[in-house]
Amino acid sequence: RIEAARCPDVVVAQIDPRKLRKKQTVNISVSLRALTHFERCQPAPEGYSPTLKWQQQQVANFSAVRQSLTKHRNHWRSQHLDSNVSMPKSEDEEGWKKFCLGERVYSEIDALSDNENLGVNYVKVGFPPLLSIVSRMNQATVTSVLEYLISWFGEKKFTPELGRWLYALLACLEKPLLPEAHSLIRQLARRCSEVRVLEENKNAEQISALNLIICLVSRYFDQRDLADEPS
């Protein structure tokens, strides 16, 4: 207190005006343009851009799925899981990747052996996003699993197993979005657009699945700058 009392009420900084004249102007317009371009989705291949009517229908279907899930969540949560279903802990990234995608996709094995074709082995092919499973996942787990799968998708190909889980997790994602979820779904949409452009065989079913995810992120979750322009 004694030292504070000795300090003057007003202090004036001694600034050298000559230093202020140098390099005050920073041109960031190019960087902003590059950043904006980088964050947008790449357009669909020619002939594969979804119509506005199709996008609106997908949003309506998705909204109905979310409402049904919310309405019946407690019922499905109370259902007993099969004895072979062992959900990983929220922080178990590798466990969730194997659980959702199956060891076959996770280990990038091209085909099942003849013996494995005799019955469904969910450890091998992955557990589907059953309502009894996703209804048990709180928002922290939903966000974590979404992050794990998007991370995996960042370096791997798109598969039906991945598509089913991404759709289910988006359906479980509560609005308004938390900042981390907001960033994740934007990352997901951009990755879908990259894979869509690189689709060599132009598999219509696969491109449609990628279009669907981009549509939901952009039009249901209000990331309109990522939306596909209607064909």
Side-chain angles (χ1 to χ4, degrees), residues 19 27 45 105 122 148 164 174-175 199 205:
K19 293 183 179 180
N27 188 347
V105 171
Y122 287 118
Y148 302 152
R164 284 192 289 268
E174 294 179 358
K175 295 175 72 174
E199 176 61 37
E205 185 175 342

Side-chain angles (χ1 to χ4, degrees), residues 125-170:
V125 302
F127 289 90
L130 303 173
L131 288 171
S132 56
I133 292 177
V134 297
S135 295
R136 285 174 161 80
M137 300 169 66
N138 59 29
Q139 281 300 289
T141 302
V142 168
T143 304
S144 294
V145 178
L146 191 59
E147 180 180 3
Y148 302 152
L149 295 183
I150 292 173
S151 174
W152 187 89
F153 183 36
E155 300 177 354
K156 307 292 184 179
K157 62 184 180 181
F158 184 83
T159 66
E161 295 86 355
L162 176 63
R164 284 192 289 268
W165 268 99
L166 290 174
Y167 187 94
L169 292 170
L170 289 176

